Amino acid sequence: MALHVPAALNTHQTSLNDSDHPATTIVDKSGVHSLSIWYCHCPRALSLDMQLFQAGLFPASFTRPKTAFTFSVLDDFLLDNLECGTSAMNYYSKIWRLTSSIFPSMVQDRYRELMRTARQWRQCKLYKWHGFVHKNNEPKTGDLALFCLACPQPGINLDRSTGMATQPDNTPSWLFTRTLVMDGNFKAEHLHPVNPSDEVSLMDGLAFMVGDERYKNCNNHHTVNQANASRQKLEATGIGGCACARHGCFVPHSMVDFQKGERQMNMDYALRIMFYDINCQYNKFLKDRIASSMYLSIPIGMDIIPEIGLWHVHGHQDSCYASLNIISPSARGMGTPYHKEVLDYQMNDSNSMKMIHISELPISRCTNIKFKEAAQGAAESTLSFQNLNETVQPAMVILWEAEEALAQANRLEDPTAMDIYEVRLEKGKSPTRKQQELRLLEAQNRPDHLATNSLSRRGAATWLATGLTIEESQISLSLSLSLSLSLSLSLSLSLSLSLEM
């Protein structure tokens, strides 16, 4: 195959009419070009599309290709899409202006071809990265997704023949426990598709987003919730799923979409061993919901330990879903399969970058730093607890320790046992902050308090009030001195003028 550049401007079709040398539109990072291509027609020659692939060109169609994209422009678009959230329309507008900054409207429009080709290019990249290019077998559920390197994965970083039963008694169980968090993101909205019957999925359920057909049939939740989402013209109000608790890597085939808020039936489909910010409510009827589902089950021997991570205790931040929030606005109006494929690719890249950054610090140094921070924090917490404990009556300490031991023993079977950690105040009887401050001031000024406590042992409130009084007196004295000085100067000036006259 050979390329021929016509003498005319490369933004226009060539005048050659020979069918053996058709004019083909080539889209590159440098702009849109029109080239004549000499295909090889030898007896053993490859098909036209394969000849273009060998030349580093991705054809927009495979039978009679008239448009092709260079591999470099597809890579550049995917990188812009990952890092900047650039949509296909904005990217092709840039290509237009690079081709002709004066007359961009004269440049051929290949926006629709770019969207279709970029989807296929994403799929090819994922097949290549996960080893399915030269295999005859097709990928299975979650096979086109990367996961956390540090989490225990049998057959990858954990010998399948090695189990907890063969480990010494002193081996900590957390080394072989996969701990996940569950959460939702409501910025990843998705509008209803315009032509749902025309949509084609390239990798349904093969990466992070769950398979569409089975998920929608699970508990028939899609039919029930669709009417609620339709009020806002949204097919999905957000997404949710599981991530590694230690490093935040998304879990393959665990991301689901929401139709009405963060409903528990949606999150059931994404379930693993997990932390969840609403676990106190979510876990109450979890086993009942799974038992009533024909699609869900808990494997024999799996223990589900519900917890609420410290990450959720202090509230969410934008950084939780930062990588997905970048792409969510441009993916909002895409077709359903395209929308899921873009999110899959974004999550795959996020996991890949986290794997790279895991090794930035040597393991020993990283562990050293974390251990020192943990040891310092434990010492400070111990000291604070001891100071607080000394102010409590010994009988109350004994009672609280017994209640804590009982709650820890029963928390897995009865989550309400952990309610003892809630602040126990009778409603309407707890004093307000102002009432407490007034009570402390009155106690400090009582004669019996002043008689038994020296001035140096007065409370902070008294010291603050005394300090403010002293400061007010200093300001008043300063103003009086300034006024006296100005009066003295005025009198002196008047006397000197009188004497001169």
Side-chain angles (χ1 to χ4, degrees):
M1 186 185 76
L3 301 178
H4 175 264
V5 182
L9 290 175
N10 59 7
T11 57
H12 300 280
Q13 292 288 349
T14 178
S15 60
L16 294 176
N17 294 321
D18 192 344
S19 60
D20 291 336
H21 309 146
T24 304
T25 301
I26 306 296
V27 182
D28 183 52
K29 288 195 297 183
S30 59
V32 182
H33 311 276
S34 185
L35 306 178
S36 293
I37 298 181
W38 273 256
Y39 290 101
C40 176
H41 294 283
C42 296
R44 296 185 179 180
L46 297 173
S47 59
L48 303 186
D49 57 329
M50 294 306 297
Q51 291 186 49
L52 289 172
F53 276 119
Q54 284 191 334
L57 300 171
F58 198 110
S61 57
F62 301 106
T63 305
R64 294 186 300 274
K66 295 182 180 180
T67 300
F69 295 82
T70 62
F71 291 176
S72 60
V73 76
L74 293 175
D75 283 334
D76 188 61
F77 168 61
L78 293 191
L79 187 59
D80 269 14
N81 188 251
L82 286 172
E83 293 293 336
C84 310
T86 306
S87 65
M89 179 177 290
N90 290 338
Y91 186 82
Y92 199 77
S93 296
K94 182 183 78 170
I95 296 295
W96 266 344
R97 298 187 63 177
L98 285 173
T99 307
S100 176
S101 59
I102 306 300
F103 302 107
S105 60
M106 297 179 64
V107 181
Q108 298 152 27
D109 185 3
R110 294 295 184 268
Y111 162 63
R112 294 177 63 85
E113 288 82 354
L114 173 62
M115 287 195 297
R116 183 174 63 253
T117 306
R119 286 186 63 189
Q120 296 169 328
W121 187 245
R122 283 190 183 93
Q123 184 189 26
C124 290
K125 302 283 276 189
L126 290 176
Y127 269 71
K128 175 184 175 182
W129 292 338
H130 295 278
F132 289 95
V133 174
H134 304 292
K135 292 182 179 180
N136 294 326
N137 58 317
E138 291 293 323
K140 299 178 182 178
T141 298
D143 280 351
L144 299 184
L146 296 171
F147 187 46
C148 178
L149 288 173
C151 284
Q153 302 179 64
I156 297 178
N157 58 10
L158 187 64
D159 189 355
R160 289 184 183 275
S161 62
T162 302
M164 286 300 298
T166 62
Q167 297 303 311
D169 293 338
N170 59 350
T171 302
S173 61
W174 58 264
L175 285 176
F176 300 93
T177 302
R178 184 182 294 183
T179 308
L180 307 177
V181 296
M182 298 178 71
D183 196 21
N185 176 20
F186 294 98
K187 292 187 178 181
E189 295 177 341
H190 183 235
L191 298 172
H192 283 289
V194 178
N195 299 309
S197 59
D198 296 337
E199 294 184 335
V200 177
S201 179
L202 299 182
M203 47 184 190
D204 184 32
L206 300 182
F208 296 93
M209 300 299 295
V210 298
D212 195 54
E213 182 178 357
R214 184 174 179 180
Y215 172 60
K216 288 183 177 180
N217 291 332
C218 176
N219 291 329
N220 200 26
H221 79 275
H222 188 76
T223 305
V224 175
N225 295 333
Q226 195 64 30
N228 299 295
S230 298
R231 297 174 185 174
Q232 303 179 27
K233 299 182 180 180
L234 295 176
E235 184 188 44
T237 58
I239 62 172
C242 302
C244 161
R246 293 190 178 95
H247 305 100
C249 291
F250 298 102
V251 179
H253 199 255
S254 70
M255 305 302 293
V256 298
D257 56 12
F258 298 142
Q259 287 75 45
K260 184 184 177 183
E262 194 171 349
R263 302 192 71 179
Q264 295 178 3
M265 61 174 64
N266 300 82
M267 300 304 289
D268 288 346
Y269 202 89
L271 175 66
R272 301 292 190 275
I273 302 175
M274 77 303 183
F275 292 95
Y276 197 12
D277 55 337
I278 57 169
N279 245 331
C280 51
Q281 298 295 327
Y282 175 75
N283 190 65
K284 284 184 177 180
F285 304 104
L286 172 63
K287 294 182 179 180
D288 295 337
R289 293 196 304 273
I290 292 178
S292 62
S293 173
M294 60 182 296
Y295 297 98
L296 303 177
S297 62
I298 299 177
I300 298 174
M302 174 182 284
D303 294 327
I304 298 179
I305 305 174
E307 299 178 357
I308 299 176
L310 186 64
W311 178 57
H312 285 103
V313 172
H314 297 294
H316 295 287
Q317 298 179 6
D318 290 338
S319 58
C320 303
Y321 276 97
S323 58
L324 296 186
N325 292 342
I326 292 173
I327 197 65
S328 293
S330 61
R332 190 171 184 263
M334 294 177 176
T336 302
Y338 191 14
H339 175 256
K340 292 185 176 181
E341 289 160 14
V342 167
L343 293 179
D344 279 336
Y345 199 77
Q346 194 79 21
M347 286 184 277
N348 202 69
D349 180 75
S350 175
N351 283 6
S352 176
M353 296 307 296
K354 287 171 182 175
M355 291 182 192
I356 293 172
H357 294 307
I358 280 178
S359 60
E360 284 186 346
L361 285 175
I363 294 177
S364 58
R365 182 184 171 191
C366 185
T367 305
N368 246 354
I369 294 172
K370 290 186 176 181
F371 176 77
K372 289 180 179 178
E373 291 176 353
Q376 181 181 356
E380 293 173 355
S381 299
T382 301
L383 181 60
S384 300
F385 177 76
Q386 288 175 350
N387 293 336
L388 180 63
N389 200 37
E390 290 174 357
T391 63
V392 182
Q393 297 177 2
M396 292 297 297
V397 173
I398 296 173
L399 176 62
W400 289 343
E401 288 177 347
E403 289 180 345
E404 180 190 23
L406 183 63
Q408 293 293 338
N410 299 331
R411 68 187 183 95
L412 293 181
E413 290 76 19
D414 182 16
T416 60
M418 303 301 287
D419 290 346
I420 64 164
Y421 291 101
E422 295 288 344
V423 177
R424 284 180 271 183
L425 290 175
E426 294 184 24
K427 189 174 181 180
K429 295 186 178 181
S430 57
T432 64
R433 181 177 177 180
K434 293 295 182 183
Q435 290 173 339
Q436 286 280 46
E437 292 175 352
L438 183 61
R439 187 166 62 87
L440 290 172
L441 285 171
E442 290 175 348
Q444 290 173 5
N445 293 324
R446 284 202 305 266
D448 56 340
H449 178 84
L450 296 174
T452 56
N453 294 277
S454 63
L455 292 177
S456 60
R457 295 185 62 184
R458 287 192 175 186
T462 302
W463 278 111
L464 286 173
T466 305
L468 290 172
T469 303
I470 293 172
E471 188 174 2
E472 288 176 357
S473 302
Q474 290 175 338
I475 294 172
S476 299
L477 180 60
S478 177
L479 290 173
S480 300
L481 290 173
S482 300
L483 182 60
S484 300
L485 183 61
S486 61
L487 288 174
S488 299
L489 289 174
S490 299
L491 290 172
S492 300
L493 182 59
S494 299
L495 288 172
S496 59
L497 288 174
S498 299
L499 291 173
E500 287 179 359
M501 293 175 63

